[in-house]
Amino acid sequence: MLKLVSRAFPTEFPYHSHWKFGHSHLIYWTHSTSLEHVVPIARGGLDESSNFVTTCYACNDARSHYLLDELGWALREPASSTWLGLTEYPPALKATRTTKPIPPS
Ligand SMILES: [Zn+2]
């Protein structure tokens, strides 16, 4: 969904395929999920579903190979929500796409 927003508004909402900091909008780091190991592989954790959680990419990157206790962090229960993750908006976003490339600023 975020990539569609970037495609429609490349200057205001930039995206880099490797999320290069400063070349991608900060929301890619704060609102995209990534798969994380509760016990990092580097610390003996297993690469299996019993050791998986989702995090935002910023937390995943900040955590590195530390254990949650070492950072004073704890897991939270998944939130209950009816939010659809903006999935209802692609047709509206597609309608905003320009036919001409936006000149660099
Ligand atoms: Zn986070």
Short mmCIF file of all heavy atoms in Angstrom, two decimals, residues 59-91:
data_model
loop_
_atom_site.label_atom_id
_atom_site.label_comp_id
_atom_site.label_asym_id
_atom_site.label_seq_id
_atom_site.Cartn_x
_atom_site.Cartn_y
_atom_site.Cartn_z
N CYS A 59 12.07 -0.69 14.99
CA CYS A 59 12.34 -1.45 16.22
C CYS A 59 13.23 -2.65 15.92
O CYS A 59 14.14 -2.96 16.69
CB CYS A 59 11.04 -1.91 16.87
SG CYS A 59 10.12 -0.57 17.66
N ASN A 60 12.96 -3.32 14.80
CA ASN A 60 13.78 -4.46 14.42
C ASN A 60 15.23 -4.03 14.26
O ASN A 60 16.15 -4.68 14.78
CB ASN A 60 13.24 -5.07 13.12
CG ASN A 60 13.87 -6.39 12.76
OD1 ASN A 60 14.93 -6.75 13.25
ND2 ASN A 60 13.22 -7.11 11.86
N ASP A 61 15.44 -2.93 13.57
CA ASP A 61 16.79 -2.45 13.34
C ASP A 61 17.46 -1.99 14.64
O ASP A 61 18.62 -2.29 14.89
CB ASP A 61 16.76 -1.31 12.33
CG ASP A 61 18.13 -0.93 11.83
OD1 ASP A 61 18.81 -1.81 11.28
OD2 ASP A 61 18.52 0.24 12.00
N ALA A 62 16.72 -1.30 15.49
CA ALA A 62 17.27 -0.79 16.75
C ALA A 62 17.62 -1.93 17.70
O ALA A 62 18.59 -1.86 18.44
CB ALA A 62 16.28 0.15 17.42
N ARG A 63 16.83 -2.97 17.66
CA ARG A 63 17.03 -4.08 18.59
C ARG A 63 18.30 -4.87 18.29
O ARG A 63 18.96 -5.37 19.19
CB ARG A 63 15.83 -5.01 18.54
CG ARG A 63 16.00 -6.13 19.53
CD ARG A 63 14.89 -7.08 19.46
NE ARG A 63 15.32 -8.29 20.14
CZ ARG A 63 14.89 -9.47 19.86
NH1 ARG A 63 14.00 -9.64 18.94
NH2 ARG A 63 15.35 -10.50 20.52
N SER A 64 18.59 -5.02 17.01
CA SER A 64 19.77 -5.77 16.59
C SER A 64 19.73 -7.18 17.17
O SER A 64 18.72 -7.86 17.04
CB SER A 64 21.03 -5.00 17.00
OG SER A 64 22.18 -5.64 16.49
N HIS A 65 20.80 -7.61 17.83
CA HIS A 65 20.88 -8.99 18.34
C HIS A 65 20.62 -9.06 19.84
O HIS A 65 20.90 -10.08 20.46
CB HIS A 65 22.25 -9.58 18.01
CG HIS A 65 23.37 -8.84 18.68
ND1 HIS A 65 23.88 -7.66 18.16
CD2 HIS A 65 24.03 -9.06 19.83
CE1 HIS A 65 24.82 -7.22 18.97
NE2 HIS A 65 24.94 -8.05 19.99
N TYR A 66 20.10 -7.99 20.44
CA TYR A 66 19.88 -7.99 21.88
C TYR A 66 18.62 -8.76 22.26
O TYR A 66 17.65 -8.81 21.51
CB TYR A 66 19.76 -6.56 22.41
CG TYR A 66 21.04 -5.79 22.26
CD1 TYR A 66 21.22 -4.88 21.22
CD2 TYR A 66 22.08 -5.99 23.16
CE1 TYR A 66 22.41 -4.19 21.07
CE2 TYR A 66 23.28 -5.31 23.02
CZ TYR A 66 23.44 -4.41 21.97
OH TYR A 66 24.62 -3.74 21.83
N LEU A 67 18.63 -9.32 23.44
CA LEU A 67 17.44 -9.98 23.99
C LEU A 67 16.51 -8.89 24.51
O LEU A 67 16.96 -7.81 24.92
CB LEU A 67 17.82 -10.93 25.12
CG LEU A 67 18.77 -12.08 24.73
CD1 LEU A 67 19.19 -12.87 25.97
CD2 LEU A 67 18.08 -13.00 23.71
N LEU A 68 15.22 -9.18 24.52
CA LEU A 68 14.25 -8.18 24.98
C LEU A 68 14.56 -7.71 26.39
O LEU A 68 14.50 -6.51 26.69
CB LEU A 68 12.83 -8.76 24.91
CG LEU A 68 12.33 -9.10 23.51
CD1 LEU A 68 10.96 -9.77 23.59
CD2 LEU A 68 12.28 -7.86 22.64
N ASP A 69 14.91 -8.63 27.28
CA ASP A 69 15.22 -8.27 28.68
C ASP A 69 16.42 -7.32 28.75
O ASP A 69 16.45 -6.43 29.61
CB ASP A 69 15.55 -9.51 29.50
CG ASP A 69 14.32 -10.36 29.78
OD1 ASP A 69 13.19 -9.86 29.54
OD2 ASP A 69 14.49 -11.50 30.24
N GLU A 70 17.38 -7.50 27.88
CA GLU A 70 18.56 -6.64 27.90
C GLU A 70 18.24 -5.19 27.54
O GLU A 70 18.96 -4.27 27.91
CB GLU A 70 19.63 -7.19 26.93
CG GLU A 70 20.19 -8.52 27.37
CD GLU A 70 21.08 -9.17 26.32
OE1 GLU A 70 20.94 -8.87 25.12
OE2 GLU A 70 21.91 -10.02 26.72
N LEU A 71 17.14 -5.00 26.82
CA LEU A 71 16.72 -3.66 26.42
C LEU A 71 15.59 -3.12 27.30
O LEU A 71 15.20 -1.97 27.15
CB LEU A 71 16.25 -3.68 24.95
CG LEU A 71 17.32 -4.04 23.92
CD1 LEU A 71 16.68 -4.32 22.57
CD2 LEU A 71 18.34 -2.93 23.82
N GLY A 72 15.07 -3.97 28.18
CA GLY A 72 13.92 -3.56 28.98
C GLY A 72 12.63 -3.54 28.16
O GLY A 72 11.68 -2.86 28.50
N TRP A 73 12.63 -4.28 27.07
CA TRP A 73 11.46 -4.35 26.19
C TRP A 73 10.65 -5.59 26.54
O TRP A 73 11.17 -6.56 27.12
CB TRP A 73 11.86 -4.45 24.73
CG TRP A 73 12.54 -3.23 24.16
CD1 TRP A 73 12.95 -2.12 24.83
CD2 TRP A 73 12.89 -3.02 22.80
NE1 TRP A 73 13.53 -1.24 23.97
CE2 TRP A 73 13.52 -1.76 22.71
CE3 TRP A 73 12.75 -3.78 21.64
CZ2 TRP A 73 13.99 -1.24 21.51
CZ3 TRP A 73 13.23 -3.26 20.44
CH2 TRP A 73 13.83 -2.00 20.38
N ALA A 74 9.37 -5.58 26.18
CA ALA A 74 8.50 -6.73 26.38
C ALA A 74 7.58 -6.86 25.18
O ALA A 74 7.30 -5.88 24.49
CB ALA A 74 7.68 -6.56 27.65
N LEU A 75 7.12 -8.07 24.93
CA LEU A 75 6.16 -8.29 23.85
C LEU A 75 4.79 -7.78 24.28
O LEU A 75 4.46 -7.80 25.46
CB LEU A 75 6.06 -9.78 23.52
CG LEU A 75 7.33 -10.43 22.97
CD1 LEU A 75 7.09 -11.93 22.76
CD2 LEU A 75 7.75 -9.77 21.67
N ARG A 76 4.03 -7.30 23.33
CA ARG A 76 2.66 -6.87 23.58
C ARG A 76 1.72 -7.82 22.88
O ARG A 76 2.05 -8.40 21.85
CB ARG A 76 2.43 -5.46 23.05
CG ARG A 76 3.10 -4.40 23.89
CD ARG A 76 2.68 -3.04 23.42
NE ARG A 76 3.50 -2.68 22.26
CZ ARG A 76 3.37 -1.56 21.58
NH1 ARG A 76 2.45 -0.69 21.90
NH2 ARG A 76 4.16 -1.30 20.56
N GLU A 77 0.51 -7.92 23.43
CA GLU A 77 -0.50 -8.72 22.77
C GLU A 77 -0.91 -8.00 21.48
O GLU A 77 -0.89 -6.76 21.43
CB GLU A 77 -1.74 -8.88 23.67
CG GLU A 77 -1.48 -9.78 24.87
CD GLU A 77 -1.18 -11.20 24.45
OE1 GLU A 77 -1.85 -11.73 23.55
OE2 GLU A 77 -0.23 -11.80 25.03
N PRO A 78 -1.27 -8.75 20.45
CA PRO A 78 -1.74 -8.09 19.23
C PRO A 78 -2.95 -7.21 19.52
O PRO A 78 -3.81 -7.57 20.33
CB PRO A 78 -2.13 -9.26 18.32
CG PRO A 78 -1.41 -10.44 18.87
CD PRO A 78 -1.27 -10.19 20.35
N ALA A 79 -3.01 -6.06 18.88
CA ALA A 79 -4.12 -5.15 19.07
C ALA A 79 -5.34 -5.66 18.32
O ALA A 79 -5.22 -6.26 17.26
CB ALA A 79 -3.74 -3.76 18.57
N SER A 80 -6.51 -5.42 18.88
CA SER A 80 -7.75 -5.75 18.19
C SER A 80 -8.13 -4.54 17.35
O SER A 80 -8.16 -3.42 17.84
CB SER A 80 -8.84 -6.05 19.23
OG SER A 80 -10.06 -6.22 18.57
N SER A 81 -8.37 -4.76 16.08
CA SER A 81 -8.65 -3.63 15.21
C SER A 81 -9.47 -4.07 14.01
O SER A 81 -9.38 -5.20 13.55
CB SER A 81 -7.33 -3.03 14.72
OG SER A 81 -7.56 -2.03 13.75
N THR A 82 -10.25 -3.16 13.51
CA THR A 82 -10.98 -3.41 12.26
C THR A 82 -10.31 -2.67 11.11
O THR A 82 -10.82 -2.66 10.00
CB THR A 82 -12.44 -2.93 12.37
OG1 THR A 82 -12.44 -1.55 12.71
CG2 THR A 82 -13.19 -3.74 13.42
N TRP A 83 -9.16 -2.05 11.38
CA TRP A 83 -8.44 -1.30 10.35
C TRP A 83 -8.01 -2.23 9.22
O TRP A 83 -7.51 -3.33 9.47
CB TRP A 83 -7.21 -0.63 10.97
CG TRP A 83 -6.50 0.30 10.04
CD1 TRP A 83 -7.01 1.40 9.43
CD2 TRP A 83 -5.13 0.22 9.63
NE1 TRP A 83 -6.05 2.01 8.66
CE2 TRP A 83 -4.89 1.31 8.77
CE3 TRP A 83 -4.09 -0.66 9.91
CZ2 TRP A 83 -3.66 1.53 8.18
CZ3 TRP A 83 -2.86 -0.44 9.33
CH2 TRP A 83 -2.65 0.65 8.48
N LEU A 84 -8.19 -1.81 8.00
CA LEU A 84 -7.90 -2.65 6.84
C LEU A 84 -6.54 -2.36 6.22
O LEU A 84 -6.23 -2.85 5.14
CB LEU A 84 -9.00 -2.47 5.79
CG LEU A 84 -10.40 -2.86 6.24
CD1 LEU A 84 -11.42 -2.51 5.16
CD2 LEU A 84 -10.46 -4.35 6.57
N GLY A 85 -5.75 -1.54 6.90
CA GLY A 85 -4.41 -1.27 6.37
C GLY A 85 -4.42 -0.50 5.08
O GLY A 85 -3.55 -0.69 4.24
N LEU A 86 -5.39 0.37 4.88
CA LEU A 86 -5.51 1.21 3.69
C LEU A 86 -5.80 0.42 2.42
O LEU A 86 -5.72 0.95 1.32
CB LEU A 86 -4.26 2.07 3.49
CG LEU A 86 -3.84 2.94 4.67
CD1 LEU A 86 -2.55 3.68 4.35
CD2 LEU A 86 -4.93 3.91 5.05
N THR A 87 -6.14 -0.86 2.57
CA THR A 87 -6.34 -1.69 1.38
C THR A 87 -7.56 -1.28 0.57
O THR A 87 -7.70 -1.69 -0.57
CB THR A 87 -6.49 -3.18 1.77
OG1 THR A 87 -7.55 -3.29 2.74
CG2 THR A 87 -5.20 -3.72 2.34
N GLU A 88 -8.43 -0.46 1.15
CA GLU A 88 -9.61 -0.02 0.41
C GLU A 88 -9.30 1.15 -0.52
O GLU A 88 -10.13 1.56 -1.31
CB GLU A 88 -10.76 0.35 1.36
CG GLU A 88 -10.52 1.61 2.16
CD GLU A 88 -9.78 1.40 3.47
OE1 GLU A 88 -8.95 0.47 3.59
OE2 GLU A 88 -10.02 2.18 4.39
N TYR A 89 -8.08 1.70 -0.48
CA TYR A 89 -7.77 2.90 -1.24
C TYR A 89 -7.08 2.74 -2.60
O TYR A 89 -7.01 3.70 -3.33
CB TYR A 89 -6.91 3.85 -0.39
CG TYR A 89 -7.69 4.46 0.73
CD1 TYR A 89 -7.39 4.16 2.04
CD2 TYR A 89 -8.73 5.34 0.47
CE1 TYR A 89 -8.12 4.72 3.08
CE2 TYR A 89 -9.47 5.90 1.49
CZ TYR A 89 -9.16 5.58 2.80
OH TYR A 89 -9.87 6.12 3.81
N PRO A 90 -6.55 1.62 -2.99
CA PRO A 90 -5.82 1.59 -4.27
C PRO A 90 -6.56 2.17 -5.46
O PRO A 90 -5.96 2.93 -6.23
CB PRO A 90 -5.50 0.11 -4.47
CG PRO A 90 -5.32 -0.38 -3.08
CD PRO A 90 -6.41 0.36 -2.29
N PRO A 91 -7.85 1.92 -5.69
CA PRO A 91 -8.50 2.53 -6.87
C PRO A 91 -8.44 4.06 -6.82
O PRO A 91 -8.19 4.70 -7.84
CB PRO A 91 -9.94 2.02 -6.81
CG PRO A 91 -9.82 0.73 -6.06
CD PRO A 91 -8.74 0.97 -5.02
#
